[in-house]
Amino acid sequence: EFFLQLWCGSDPAIVADATVNLSNAIEHFNHLSYWVASCICTQPMATKRVHVVERLVALGQHCLELNNFNAVMAVVSGLNHFAVQRLKKTWARLSPRALAAARVLEDTMSPEGNYRNYRAIRQNLGAATFIPFMGLHLKDLFFANEVPKYLDDPDGPPPAPPPTSDSPAAATGDSEVRRGDPAPAPAPRKLVNLEKSWRMHDIVVENFVTPKQFPPFEEAALDELDGDDRRAQEFFWVIPHLDEAKLYKLSLVIEPRGQATIEAAKILSSWAAEL
């Protein structure tokens, strides 16, 4: 599906049909990221909001311990959402331990140096299982695909020189070879760029196909689960979250710009009383 996304054309319907699982994985990442931001912005009480942020940071730590880098990046993205980052009073009340843990998550998935820190950790995993940060490796595939598919053969004949201004073809604009004119040089031979092919192969195999990546498991059908297992499965199928506009509106309510207005204070008080 990674290759099909690059090569199956520009028709959105064809691309969507050929890359269902890949699209679901990307959608899951986005929903998880927005869920993190929604958990924070839907908590009107400052003390509980701080607790939610610290629990989400702990969630990111646990994902990092499991080498689930895709989930770590989703948590980091949610914490870095502009509606969350503007909550300066909330961040100021976090414990030093939580702030330090948040910085570790941020540094691990920092885009600096083309995600240098993440790539270094990924390369040093050895035989450990992991879930890669899919967005980065999709970008790697995209740029690898931009490399030319064919290369000129360095040992082949040189390309034909352009016609000179005093040649009959140049004078008349006629590109056909005339009797008595020298035969044109043969076109350079093209070679398949195997280095490009192997590069794209390595990106997919090293990050998505290697058997050590996912331990074997059996996925239970939803109707076979009950209790907490069923609720957890249903949650991950949907992952409820708010959109950009609602997140920002709630962010302004829980921490208004400047001094809080009486109206905002009433809304916040009424909201907290309903919880």
Side-chain angles (χ1 to χ4, degrees), residues 151-158 187-191:
L151 300 174
D152 291 340
D153 183 2
D155 299 324
R189 187 173 61 172
K190 295 291 186 179
L191 301 178

Side-chain angles (χ1 to χ4, degrees), residues 83-256:
V84 175
Q85 280 296 303
R86 66 168 298 277
L87 303 176
K88 304 301 182 183
K89 296 178 182 178
T90 301
W91 286 100
R93 295 180 62 176
L94 258 63
S95 67
R97 181 177 180 180
L99 287 172
R103 282 192 292 270
V104 170
L105 299 178
E106 184 78 25
D107 291 343
T108 299
M109 306 307 298
S110 170
E112 184 178 352
N114 195 17
Y115 293 87
R116 179 176 57 244
N117 294 340
Y118 160 70
R119 292 184 190 274
I121 295 173
R122 162 68 187 84
Q123 290 298 322
N124 293 327
L125 285 178
T129 57
F130 67 95
I131 298 178
F133 171 30
M134 295 182 61
L136 175 61
H137 300 299
L138 281 173
K139 186 186 76 171
D140 290 342
L141 272 178
F142 175 81
F143 283 110
N145 192 50
E146 292 296 296
V147 176
K149 185 184 299 184
Y150 299 102
L151 300 174
D152 291 340
D153 183 2
D155 299 324
T164 59
S165 59
D166 56 351
S167 67
T172 62
D174 186 2
S175 60
E176 295 183 359
V177 178
R178 298 175 181 275
R179 182 178 299 177
D181 290 345
R189 187 173 61 172
K190 295 291 186 179
L191 301 178
V192 175
N193 188 351
L194 291 179
E195 184 177 353
K196 167 185 176 175
S197 301
W198 277 114
R199 173 59 184 153
M200 298 183 74
H201 166 274
D202 291 343
I203 292 172
V204 173
V205 171
E206 291 176 2
N207 295 290
F208 302 106
V209 181
T210 307
K212 70 180 182 183
Q213 178 186 332
F214 298 110
F217 70 96
E218 294 183 2
E219 183 178 1
L222 186 60
D223 55 4
E224 297 177 0
L225 301 175
D226 56 13
D228 292 340
D229 289 337
R230 183 181 179 87
R231 284 191 291 271
Q233 188 81 327
E234 290 174 340
F235 170 82
F236 280 108
W237 271 110
V238 180
I239 307 186
H241 61 279
L242 302 177
D243 59 24
E244 295 274 359
K246 291 180 180 178
L247 284 172
Y248 190 62
K249 287 181 180 179
L250 291 178
S251 178
L252 290 175
V253 170
I254 57 181
E255 283 193 22

Side-chain angles (χ1 to χ4, degrees), residues 26-89:
I26 294 172
E27 184 178 25
H28 177 83
F29 175 94
N30 293 333
H31 288 182
L32 183 58
S33 176
Y34 276 94
W35 170 77
V36 169
S38 300
C39 287
I40 298 169
C41 291
T42 53
Q43 180 49 256
M45 302 176 67
T47 302
K48 291 186 177 181
R49 188 165 59 250
V50 170
H51 178 68
V52 168
V53 175
E54 292 183 345
R55 290 295 297 271
L56 290 170
V57 170
L59 173 65
Q61 282 183 294
H62 190 57
C63 291
L64 185 58
E65 292 170 358
L66 294 173
N67 295 327
N68 186 346
F69 299 106
N70 205 57
V72 174
M73 190 63 194
V75 172
V76 170
S77 298
L79 293 174
N80 284 336
H81 192 282
F82 66 90
V84 175
Q85 280 296 303
R86 66 168 298 277
L87 303 176
K88 304 301 182 183
K89 296 178 182 178

